[in-house]
Amino acid sequence: SVGAGSNRLYEFHENLSATFRALAERNAELYYDVLKLYLESQAPLEINQAPLVWSLINACGAKKSYSLLTGLSYPDKRAWLFSYYCFLPEDGVAPEQLAQLLELYQTSKAHEIPYDWDFLLKYRKAMPDIVSTITTLLLDRAKQDDSFSPSLHMLFNPHSEINHEISAHFSGKVDLLKQAYFYDAASQRHGDYDGRSFNSILDLDGGFIEEYIDWIFGRKNWITRHDDSRDYTFIWKRSNCRELMHKAAKRIFEHEKEFSYFPYFQVFFGKRDVDETPKSASPDQESFILEIIEDRHGDENFMKFIFSLICSFSVANRILFISKFLALNKSFEMFIELPLESGTCSWSGSAVPMLQRRIDYYQSLIPLFDTVDFLKHKQHVEQIIKRIREEIEHEKKRDFVND
């Protein structure tokens, strides 16, 4: 089979690589001669060059390795030279090597450029801004050719050493970092899944959250919670979380107000799926929503936008938020425009339990309307309950017939 054939080829290459490595450990001169012959033969076996170069440097030294790798003509020579600069000991780094490395980044094809960025850290003594310099080179090439975009992936990989200090590498160059982030995000759907890099950029510029929202809305006519898979839990751990979320709410509303309110804002609260039992808001999330109701309770369109988020929380949360709104705004005309529950429901089997939960929810709102100011509100909710009860009777009949 194709899969079996691929596995056998992989095993063949691995075994060859292990053979080369064993030879290098046993007899450095013979390894040098064999590798030279292999390159003179145009590297016909297409073995991964990285471990071969590592063994060459360890067995024969950097100077002799460089002479061999640069003195011959063979396929993917630049990829071999990249491996040389990856494994070059830090004490061997000099301005000459640095200049040659930069030239490689400028002239290599996309497939020849290594995904690894951590090796660049040993060049910082010779060039303190090596990371931002390489980012500029690769970003310029990605703007001309999309095939270079994946070369930025490891810069934003949370498991890379270079990512752990990304703020320091781009101090004073946050605009460059943001450009690279957008190019990387456009080329991989689930990049920066835990938001580590996003969080680092926020440390440098809190306005980035607005730029990101502008960017994501610029890619499609409308955005939903399914278009952004990032886990935004990190935002709620920040001391300025509510300030950031006010910015996010305002910007998303500006993008959505001309159409209708899609639930994209919900991704910032960890809401992606239609939950049968909606989760409660965290204390910071609860405080934020109460703040924004207090600030914007007179803005009908904005309240419709916020209540489309509120619908995704637990009944207890919804009662709290509705109560807060009613304490600030007694307008019946605005109240009936607010979404009080999600527009989508999920259930299996009979719909009756789901409909009963809706009745229970609306009945829990009745105590909020215990003054004459809210008589119409109460009647409106009672009418909703009545309609749902009629749906239940209809569903019971359908269940009976289906049985």
Side-chain angles (χ1 to χ4, degrees):
S1 68
V2 174
S6 298
N7 288 336
R8 285 196 294 270
L9 181 61
Y10 173 79
E11 291 175 1
F12 172 70
H13 285 164
E14 286 296 297
N15 290 335
L16 272 178
S17 183
T19 301
F20 271 103
R21 185 167 59 250
L23 178 60
E25 293 172 356
R26 180 168 297 183
N27 190 323
E29 288 301 318
L30 181 57
Y31 177 72
Y32 179 91
D33 292 339
V34 169
L35 192 59
K36 180 181 180 182
L37 179 61
Y38 176 72
L39 294 177
E40 289 174 337
S41 302
Q42 304 302 294
L45 300 176
E46 299 181 353
I47 309 171
N48 179 12
Q49 82 283 345
L52 304 187
V53 175
W54 182 86
S55 294
L56 178 66
I57 293 174
N58 279 278
C60 304
K63 186 175 181 180
K64 190 172 183 179
S65 299
Y66 180 78
S67 178
L68 173 61
L69 296 175
T70 58
L72 300 173
S73 178
Y74 49 92
D76 292 328
K77 182 175 180 176
R78 286 175 294 220
W80 285 74
L81 290 174
F82 261 123
S83 292
Y84 169 80
Y85 290 111
C86 285
F87 299 123
L88 179 68
E90 187 170 353
D91 58 12
V93 174
E96 181 183 359
Q97 281 76 31
L98 181 59
Q100 292 165 350
L101 176 61
L102 294 176
E103 183 180 359
L104 272 182
Y105 273 105
Q106 291 172 317
T107 59
S108 296
K109 297 177 181 178
H111 75 275
E112 296 171 328
I113 294 176
Y115 281 101
D116 178 39
W117 282 64
D118 288 345
F119 81 93
L120 294 173
L121 297 176
K122 64 187 171 190
Y123 290 88
R124 283 187 298 177
K125 288 183 180 180
M127 178 181 279
D129 62 347
I130 181 70
V131 175
S132 61
T133 297
I134 296 302
T135 301
T136 299
L137 290 175
L138 291 178
L139 187 58
D140 287 343
R141 301 199 71 183
K143 290 177 180 178
Q144 301 297 321
D145 182 348
D146 286 341
S147 67
F148 284 92
S149 295
S151 61
L152 295 166
H153 287 351
M154 291 304 292
L155 178 62
F156 301 105
N157 187 305
H159 303 294
S160 67
E161 185 179 350
I162 211 161
N163 182 261
H164 293 172
E165 300 178 0
I166 198 167
S167 297
H169 294 306
F170 290 89
S171 178
K173 299 180 180 179
V174 65
D175 287 342
L176 172 63
L177 179 58
K178 288 187 285 191
Q179 286 184 56
Y181 188 86
F182 290 141
Y183 262 87
D184 180 65
S187 65
Q188 57 172 341
R189 181 173 174 78
H190 301 294
D192 194 30
Y193 58 90
D194 64 353
R196 181 193 295 268
S197 296
F198 196 113
N199 203 29
S200 295
I201 300 175
L202 286 176
D203 290 337
L204 300 173
D205 182 1
F208 176 65
I209 195 166
E210 295 166 301
E211 293 182 53
Y212 176 77
I213 290 167
D214 288 343
W215 174 79
I216 199 168
F217 274 94
R219 291 170 56 80
K220 290 180 64 177
N221 290 332
W222 62 81
I223 302 294
T224 73
R225 59 191 172 199
H226 303 295
D227 293 304
D228 191 344
S229 60
R230 184 171 296 106
D231 179 359
Y232 286 98
T233 303
F234 67 91
I235 287 184
W236 297 102
K237 296 178 181 179
R238 297 179 60 95
S239 60
N240 64 340
C241 63
R242 296 205 290 274
E243 175 190 344
L244 291 171
M245 292 311 299
H246 276 286
K247 291 179 178 180
K250 182 178 179 181
R251 191 54 61 95
I252 294 172
F253 173 71
E254 288 298 316
H255 283 287
E256 292 188 348
K257 67 180 182 180
E258 298 299 326
F259 302 97
S260 59
Y261 305 119
F262 298 97
Y264 173 61
F265 194 33
Q266 294 179 14
V267 302
F268 291 95
F269 296 80
K271 307 284 186 177
R272 282 194 174 80
D273 300 318
V274 180
D275 296 323
E276 185 171 332
T277 305
K279 297 180 179 64
S280 297
S282 70
D284 280 319
Q285 291 171 351
E286 185 177 287
S287 296
F288 162 73
I289 295 173
L290 290 172
E291 280 179 11
I292 211 163
I293 291 174
E294 183 158 354
D295 291 345
R296 304 288 292 271
H297 62 268
D299 186 333
E300 179 177 324
N301 287 330
F302 195 82
M303 282 296 97
K304 287 164 65 177
F305 167 72
I306 289 300
F307 269 82
S308 69
L309 164 69
I310 289 172
C311 290
S312 66
F313 287 108
S314 68
V315 169
N317 284 146
R318 279 180 269 173
I319 292 173
L320 173 65
F321 299 140
I322 294 170
S323 176
K324 176 69 172 181
F325 173 80
L326 293 174
L328 298 167
N329 191 323
K330 296 179 173 59
S331 169
F332 172 71
E333 288 72 19
M334 186 182 295
F335 177 76
I336 62 174
E337 293 297 325
L338 301 180
L340 300 180
E341 60 179 338
S342 173
T344 58
C345 298
S346 64
W347 69 90
S348 60
S350 173
V352 172
M354 177 273 294
L355 294 170
Q356 184 59 51
R357 284 193 297 272
R358 291 180 62 201
I359 288 179
D360 295 342
Y361 161 58
Y362 279 108
Q363 286 180 328
S364 70
L365 299 182
I366 296 296
L368 301 179
F369 314 124
D370 59 357
T371 68
V372 67
D373 291 329
F374 300 114
L375 179 60
K376 289 183 178 180
H377 300 64
K378 181 178 181 181
Q379 292 171 342
H380 172 69
V381 170
E382 287 174 340
Q383 283 298 313
I384 294 175
I385 293 172
K386 180 181 177 182
R387 288 196 298 269
I388 299 174
R389 283 189 172 134
E390 291 171 354
E391 288 185 57
I392 286 179
E393 292 305 313
H394 178 74
E395 285 297 320
K396 285 180 177 179
K397 292 177 182 178
R398 182 155 60 182
D399 291 344
F400 178 78
V401 171
N402 291 337
D403 289 341

